[in-house]
Amino acid sequence: VLDGIASLVDKSLLRRDEEGDAEPRFRMLETIREYALERLVEAGESDRFHRRHADHCLTLAEQAEPGLIGPQQAAWLDRLEADHDNLRAALSWLARYGPVDHGLRLGAALRRFWRARGYIMEGSERMAALLSLPGAQGRTTSRAKALHAAGRLVREQGDYGKARTLFEESLDIYRETDDPRGIGWALVDLGFLTRYQGDYAAARSLFEESLELLKRIGDTEGIAASLGNLGLIARDQGDPDRAEVHLEESLALWRHLGDRVGFGWALTALGIVAQAQGRLGVAHARLEESLGVWRELGDRQNTANVLAMMAGLARDQGEYDVARASLTEGLEVLREVGDRRGIAFILEGFAGLASAEAQPARAICLASAAASLRRIIGAAAPPSWHSDLERRMEAAGTGLSREAVEEARGRGGGMTLPEAVAFALGAPLRTDSNRAGT
C-alpha cells in the first residue's frame, strides 16, 4: 500500500498534506477523483468500496465517541474535523444505500463533534433524514440513540417542541429495551429541556430520578451531569449557595474523568453563581478559565455563551466597549451555528448594555425582539436572568413616555430575526416607510 501511494504521489495523482506534527494525509484533485469513481463503477466494484469506506468511517466515529468526553477531546475533535468530508460522504451513501442501522450509529456518534464545532444545523438535518428512512423505524437501541442525539441538536437550535418529541420517543425505546444508562441520560436531557421551558419543579424531579438511576449503575459522567443540572436549578431559583455545592461536586467529578467539556461547563455555571453572589473577581476568573477551555476545544457555541456572560460582567463594571465587543463576537458565532436560544440571550445582553448606556428606546426594542424570539421557540429565560432584565428595562422606561415605551416594544416585537440581529449590531431602526420600500 505504501509503495502504491508513493508511486501515485510521484505521478502527482495524489498530493501529500502535512500540518505541524499531525499525521500526513493524502488528497487528490476533484477531476481525478471523479475519473477514479467512474472506473470503479465500470468495474462493478463501486458498492464494495463505498461500503468499506462507510465501515471505516463508522469505526472511526465510534472509536472517537468515548474520546470526546476524556482528556483527548481536543485531539479527537481535530481528527474528526480532518475527516469531516469523508464522514459526510459516508453518511450520504448510507442514507441512500444502507445499512440504515449503520447510518443511525454514525450520526449518533458524531453528535458531540457537530455540537462542539458548530455544525448543529447540518447535523440536525442529517439526523432528521436518517430517522425518516423507512428502514429506520424499528424500535432498536440504534434508533433510540439517534433520536437522543437528534433531540440534543434541535434543542440547541431552540426547537423545544420537536426536541421533547424526540427525547420522549428515545426514552420509550430505552425503557422497552431495558437500557438503564439510556433511560438515565434521556431523563437528564428531558430535565434540561424542561428547565429551559421554566418548569423548575418538574425539571428537578427529572434530574433527581436520573441521579438515583445513574448512581445505581455507577455512571460517573451521568452523575456529574445530574448534579450540575440540579445546581443550575438552584441558581435559577435564587439559591446560589446550594447551587455552588452541587456544581463544585459536579466539577470534581468532571476533573476526575478528565472531561474538558464537563469541566468547562461546570466552571461556566460556577462563574454565573459567583456573579449572583456579588463575587465579581471570582466570577471573572471562573469565566476566563472556562473560556480558555472552550477555545482550546474549538467549541464555538460555548465560547459564544461565555462571551455573553463576560459581557455582563464588563457592563456592570462600566467597561461598555469590552462588553459590546464580547456580545458582537458571540452573536456572530451563534448566528452561524443557528442557536436561536443563544441569540435571545445575546439580544438581551445588548438590551442591558443599551440601558446602561442611557439608550432606553434601543434597550426596550432589543428586549422586546428577544421576548418575541423566546415566544417563537418556547424558551423561557431563567428567573434570575429575567428578573435582572426586567429591572433594567424598568429603569430604561422611566426616561420615556408611555407612548414611546409602547412604540419601542411594538417595533422590537415586530422585527424578524435578521432585523433584530442587524439592529443589535448597530444598524439603524427601520421605519414603516423603509419596510414598504424594500
Side-chain angles (χ1 to χ4, degrees):
V1 172
L2 292 176
D3 288 343
I5 290 176
S7 174
L8 291 170
V9 171
D10 290 341
K11 295 178 176 64
S12 298
L13 295 173
L14 283 184
R15 185 184 68 208
R16 175 173 170 149
D17 289 345
E18 292 187 76
E19 295 183 7
D21 297 329
E23 184 179 72
R25 303 179 66 82
F26 296 88
R27 304 180 187 276
M28 62 179 68
L29 293 173
E30 182 67 17
T31 52
I32 295 173
R33 190 183 72 85
E34 290 176 356
Y35 176 81
L37 286 172
E38 289 173 4
R39 300 290 80 76
L40 279 175
V41 171
E42 288 177 4
E45 296 192 13
S46 176
D47 285 349
R48 182 166 72 91
F49 277 91
H50 275 295
R51 182 179 292 274
R52 287 176 62 184
H53 178 261
D55 287 346
H56 166 75
C57 288
L58 177 59
T59 299
L60 170 65
E62 291 190 331
Q63 183 183 3
E65 189 177 12
L68 294 174
I69 54 171
Q72 298 301 313
Q73 279 169 330
W76 276 115
L77 286 169
D78 288 343
R79 173 67 189 278
L80 293 175
E81 187 76 64
D83 267 306
H84 199 187
D85 284 341
N86 280 317
L87 296 163
R88 286 168 168 145
L91 282 166
S92 296
W93 189 82
L94 288 168
R96 292 183 65 187
Y97 302 108
V100 174
D101 180 72
H102 286 197
L104 294 175
R105 286 166 54 192
L106 177 54
L110 291 174
R111 191 270 309 167
R112 284 191 177 95
F113 164 70
W114 282 328
R115 162 66 178 77
R117 289 295 168 92
Y119 299 109
I120 294 171
M121 285 187 287
E122 177 182 347
S124 179
E125 290 168 0
R126 287 191 178 276
M127 293 306 300
L130 288 164
L131 286 164
S132 66
L133 293 172
Q137 305 309 309
R139 309 285 283 178
T140 64
T141 300
S142 294
R143 178 172 176 82
K145 188 175 179 181
L147 287 163
H148 198 167
R152 287 181 170 186
L153 291 166
V154 299
R155 180 189 67 197
E156 296 294 343
Q157 294 177 288
D159 192 341
Y160 291 178
K162 185 175 181 180
R164 181 171 294 278
T165 298
L166 292 164
F167 286 143
E168 287 177 346
E169 185 182 349
S170 174
L171 178 60
D172 288 344
I173 297 174
Y174 281 135
R175 292 193 192 280
E176 291 168 14
T177 56
D178 193 24
D179 183 339
R181 187 176 190 276
I183 294 169
W185 274 99
L187 290 169
V188 168
D189 280 296
L190 276 169
F192 205 77
L193 185 64
T194 303
R195 171 182 160 259
Y196 278 172
Q197 294 177 304
D199 190 343
Y200 300 105
R204 178 184 294 278
S205 177
L206 288 163
F207 290 136
E208 288 172 346
E209 184 182 354
S210 70
L211 181 60
E212 181 181 352
L213 176 58
L214 293 166
K215 279 184 174 179
R216 196 157 58 239
I217 63 174
D219 185 333
T220 306
E221 182 195 357
I223 294 167
S226 296
L227 285 168
N229 279 294
L230 284 168
L232 292 174
I233 289 288
R235 181 203 70 187
D236 291 342
Q237 294 185 307
D239 190 348
D241 294 337
R242 185 178 179 187
E244 187 166 28
V245 170
H246 284 311
L247 286 164
E248 287 286 3
E249 190 175 353
S250 175
L251 183 70
L253 290 173
W254 292 123
R255 183 185 287 113
H256 172 73
L257 288 168
D259 186 327
R260 298 288 285 165
V261 169
F263 184 75
W265 178 75
L267 273 175
T268 301
L270 281 165
I272 302 169
V273 168
Q275 184 179 12
Q277 294 168 321
R279 300 156 62 203
L280 300 186
V282 174
H284 188 272
R286 285 172 169 172
L287 291 175
E288 190 74 45
E289 186 178 359
S290 72
L291 183 63
V293 171
W294 301 129
R295 290 198 191 278
E296 170 202 334
L297 293 173
D299 188 326
R300 301 173 67 217
Q301 193 172 31
N302 274 317
T303 295
N305 292 339
V306 175
L307 284 168
M309 296 167 196
M310 294 185 74
L313 279 176
R315 177 202 64 206
D316 292 346
Q317 294 174 314
E319 299 174 350
Y320 299 149
D321 289 342
V322 173
R324 183 174 295 102
S326 293
L327 288 168
T328 298
E329 183 182 350
L331 182 55
E332 293 287 3
V333 171
L334 293 169
R335 181 169 56 171
E336 288 176 17
V337 303
D339 181 355
R340 294 185 296 168
R341 183 184 65 87
I343 290 172
F345 276 110
I346 293 276
L347 291 175
E348 288 160 349
F350 273 111
L353 178 60
S355 177
E357 293 185 303
Q359 300 177 40
R362 181 177 181 81
I364 293 169
C365 190
L366 285 164
S368 183
S372 177
L373 177 57
R374 286 191 178 280
R375 283 192 295 272
I376 290 169
I377 65 177
S384 56
W385 177 270
H386 182 68
S387 297
D388 179 71
L389 182 67
E390 278 198 329
R391 285 194 298 272
R392 293 182 184 279
M393 292 309 101
E394 285 174 8
T398 58
L400 296 174
S401 67
R402 180 177 298 180
E403 292 76 13
V405 169
E406 291 304 316
E407 182 182 2
R409 285 177 179 164
R411 289 195 179 279
M415 285 182 177
T416 65
L417 181 56
E419 287 172 343
V421 167
F423 183 57
L425 293 174
L429 185 63
R430 295 171 64 187
T431 65
D432 292 335
S433 59
N434 293 149
R435 290 170 183 265
T438 59

